[in-house]
Amino acid sequence: MTELVLSDLLRSVLRGLEITVILTISGSILAFVCAFVFGLGRVSRWRFIRVFSVCYIELFRGTSVFVQVFWLYYALPAFGLLLSPLLAGILGLGLNVGAYGAEVVRSAVQATGRDQYEACCALNFTRYQTFRYIILPQAFPRMLPVFGNNMVELMKASSIVSLISLSDITFQAQQFRIRTGQTFLPFAVTLIVYFILYLGILFFIRSVTRLANPQKVKV
Amino acid sequence: MISFSKKIKKYSFILGISLSFLYFIHSADCRANGESRPTRLEKLQKRGYVRIGLSNEPPWTVIDADGQVGGAGPDLTHAVFQRMGVSELQGVLSTFGGLIPGLLAGRSDAISSGLFIQPGRCQAVAFSEPDLCDREAFLMKKDMPLALKTYRDLATDSSLQVGVPAGGTEEREALAAGVPASRLVPVPDGPSGMIMLLAGRIQVYSLPASSAQHLVDLWRGQKFSLVTVEDAPVMCAGTAFSPNAVDLRDAYDHVLAKLKADGTYDRILRAHGFDPSLARGHTREEFCRGKESL
């Protein structure tokens, strides 16, 4: 009996883990891209791109990710756009966390000293060259710790996708509770699994930080 | 002068954007509402499966570890759709509160998860004739010296915290009997309700009798008492369809009536511990109208 319950729990958690990991990785990639596109968009020379980026950032930072995912899944079909649950989840999480990331990119870029820009100007670098070879190599390592935070936030926020019929770990734990009436076991396992995922992200960010160490950047 | 014309440009730009957005929403709405599909059933037959919105509510709906769908509601719906020529049933799992939004968003073709027919829901979805009916019950700890039999009893004892399923019909019934909203505690799912009872967060848990029986069986080590509520009417669930799929609903009703006549209906309900006689004599009309008495 106990073995049956344990194998049931194990199967549930593994199935949920798959969804959570897919969401975290795909969501983080989307968030990373959004962070750079809109973070740099905010400091663009063209007014239209600046306005557009600000609109995106404030819209997604200023509303609940819970409601955003709900909207993508339940409200968009009324406009004729039927996203799959997984895609809706990835979009919701990625766009939301990407908005936070965009502010990180902007602040890291703006925190780079004015002298750097002036030096580039003196060397007659184009704007692209300035960013590609001088500004970003200095700004990028500064973004990493905050990106790591954001990624952990995204991983934990992924539990809201149970709203849109995706069976992530939290949802599977709930289903297990309803099936068996046990509460302590599924939630204990869920906590541990989330913590292991967190350690994985921590390790990943540490490795990237080591690669992008500011000391090793040759200016 | 220049700044003035700039301003006009700016405002007309904003106006243009918002107007086109409104137009977009409006036209999308029209599309969503105006579509008519005379051949919904044929489409399902061609596709070979029907998507049923579910939430895990044993014994109404049971989902096992591998995601296999069972329980009284889905089994009955499956039997009906098989007779209609749609062989396979696919479950779309969501929370109880996400069932109707999912149906309206086209995520599922129908809901069969113990969704009670009631006036508010009849506005949003098209119900089939009643299929699963149940009485209401109170769950209490056995050592509590409470003689509760009706919702009015709950109203008179002001020390009681009453757990009701979140989004369920019990909340309305209790409010109608005079239980103040401040003493009603929404319970997200069965096991949570049991733990709240054990921890003393609530003293009474009001829920459909078959769900209550299931929970008591699950907690067989603990002592709970189950009381059938006397002043609550029999509630019936129906299979819910999108409001623009009334033709599909009618076809469903037709087959459901046949199953009720030939005994298949009784067999499926008994297998899951439901009383097949409760649904007889009740109609969708009656539940959608709501009860003037009581």
Side-chain angles (χ1 to χ4, degrees), chain A residues 1 7-9 11-12 15 47-48 70-85 88 162-167 171-172 174-184, chain B residues 10 13 24-26 28-29 31-32 51 55-58 62-67 92-95 97-99 101-107 189-193 195 214-215 218-220:
Chain A
M1 180 61 203
S7 85
D8 178 348
L9 180 63
R11 263 182 302 160
S12 305
R15 274 154 40 97
R47 195 188 146 91
F48 176 74
F70 204 83
W71 217 87
L72 283 172
Y73 187 76
Y74 290 115
L76 273 191
F79 303 101
L81 194 60
L82 196 69
L83 300 174
S84 78
S162 55
L163 255 184
I164 56 170
S165 68
L166 272 179
S167 311
F171 190 71
Q172 290 285 2
Q174 286 285 6
Q175 299 298 316
F176 179 79
R177 281 185 68 216
I178 292 172
R179 270 201 306 278
T180 62
Q182 300 211 27
T183 289
F184 173 78
Chain B
K10 193 168 130 193
F13 179 69
F24 174 62
I25 288 183
H26 181 70
D29 258 0
R31 244 180 310 165
R51 296 167 305 159
S55 67
N56 202 352
E57 312 267 336
V62 183
I63 294 137
D64 71 10
D66 299 316
V92 180
L93 201 54
S94 79
T95 55
L99 287 174
L103 176 72
L104 297 182
R107 299 283 174 187
D189 52 70
S192 302
I195 287 166
H214 173 82
L215 287 173
L218 213 53
W219 257 263
R220 51 191 172 283

Side-chain angles (χ1 to χ4, degrees), chain B residues 139-154:
Chain B
L139 272 183
M140 286 163 281
K141 279 207 289 185
K142 224 172 205 152
D143 51 7
M144 295 281 286
L146 295 171
L148 297 170
K149 287 207 156 45
T150 63
Y151 281 117
R152 293 219 176 80
D153 292 343
L154 296 182

Side-chain angles (χ1 to χ4, degrees), chain B residues 17-294:
Chain B
I17 293 268
S18 36
L19 273 182
S20 55
F21 183 65
L22 276 178
Y23 175 75
F24 174 62
I25 288 183
H26 181 70
S27 60
D29 258 0
C30 288
R31 244 180 310 165
N33 293 332
E35 67 183 345
S36 61
R37 291 182 185 172
T39 56
R40 261 177 200 263
L41 178 57
E42 285 163 24
K43 272 185 188 162
L44 289 184
Q45 284 167 340
K46 207 169 176 187
R47 204 176 56 182
Y49 64 90
V50 57
R51 296 167 305 159
I52 299 294
L54 309 159
S55 67
N56 202 352
E57 312 267 336
W60 307 81
T61 312
V62 183
I63 294 137
D64 71 10
D66 299 316
Q68 286 294 317
V69 173
D75 280 0
L76 182 63
T77 306
H78 196 183
V80 174
F81 270 104
Q82 272 177 336
R83 289 273 181 102
M84 289 162 75
V86 185
S87 57
E88 208 183 314
L89 181 137
Q90 219 177 64
V92 180
L93 201 54
S94 79
T95 55
F96 191 73
L99 287 174
I100 291 179
L103 176 72
L104 297 182
R107 299 283 174 187
S108 60
D109 302 309
I111 303 169
S112 175
S113 193
L115 198 65
F116 283 150
I117 307 173
Q118 48 159 266
R121 289 177 186 156
C122 288
Q123 307 271 317
V125 296
F127 275 107
S128 70
E129 288 295 336
D131 47 20
L132 302 177
C133 295
D134 203 358
R135 295 199 168 83
E136 288 295 325
F138 292 148
L139 272 183
M140 286 163 281
K141 279 207 289 185
K142 224 172 205 152
D143 51 7
M144 295 281 286
L146 295 171
L148 297 170
K149 287 207 156 45
T150 63
Y151 281 117
R152 293 219 176 80
D153 292 343
L154 296 182
T156 48
D157 189 345
S158 64
S159 68
L160 292 178
Q161 293 286 315
V162 182
V164 288
T169 50
E170 289 77 6
E171 185 177 1
R172 254 173 8 116
E173 297 288 340
L175 284 173
V179 185
S182 58
R183 287 206 280 117
L184 293 175
V185 182
V187 176
D189 52 70
S192 302
M194 296 306 259
I195 287 166
M196 285 158 98
L197 267 181
L198 287 173
R201 288 180 200 271
I202 54 177
Q203 282 74 46
V204 187
Y205 183 17
S206 162
L207 73 170
S210 52
S211 307
Q213 188 57 53
H214 173 82
L215 287 173
V216 171
D217 293 345
L218 213 53
W219 257 263
R220 51 191 172 283
Q222 311 274 347
K223 299 223 176 300
F224 288 99
S225 54
L226 194 161
V227 180
T228 309
V229 182
E230 283 174 2
D231 65 345
V234 169
M235 293 298 298
C236 284
T239 303
F241 294 87
S242 160
N244 43 25
V246 178
D247 54 331
L248 183 61
R249 195 273 310 271
D250 291 342
Y252 184 91
D253 273 349
H254 186 66
V255 178
L256 181 64
K258 273 190 197 161
L259 290 190
K260 278 183 179 172
D262 73 3
T264 316
Y265 172 81
D266 291 31
R267 189 169 51 75
I268 293 175
L269 259 67
R270 286 230 175 77
H272 293 284
F274 281 86
D275 182 357
S277 64
L278 280 178
R280 309 224 191 274
H282 287 294
T283 60
R284 165 176 67 235
E285 251 38 44
E286 164 197 343
F287 290 110
C288 275
R289 212 179 327 115
K291 275 150 230 74
E292 287 84 11
S293 60
L294 198 112

Side-chain angles (χ1 to χ4, degrees), chain A residues 100-132:
Chain A
Y100 286 93
E103 283 293 271
V104 175
V105 170
R106 179 195 58 83
S107 64
V109 164
Q110 286 183 341
T112 309
R114 202 170 164 70
D115 47 346
Q116 303 287 329
Y117 289 94
E118 282 165 0
C120 291
C121 194
L123 291 168
N124 202 19
F125 276 20
T126 64
R127 215 174 139 78
Y128 170 77
Q129 284 171 324
T130 309
F131 268 90
R132 169 67 184 82

Side-chain angles (χ1 to χ4, degrees), chain A residues 6 20-21 25 40 51 61 66 81 107 111 119 127 131 133 142 147 150 154 160 175 182 186 197 207 219:
Chain A
L6 281 180
T20 301
V21 167
I25 294 177
L40 295 179
V51 170
R61 278 203 312 171
F66 200 77
L81 194 60
S107 64
R127 215 174 139 78
F131 268 90
Y133 298 108
R142 241 178 260 142
F147 274 164
N150 286 351
L154 190 147
I160 62 160
Q175 299 298 316
Q182 300 211 27
L197 285 178
S207 318
V219 180

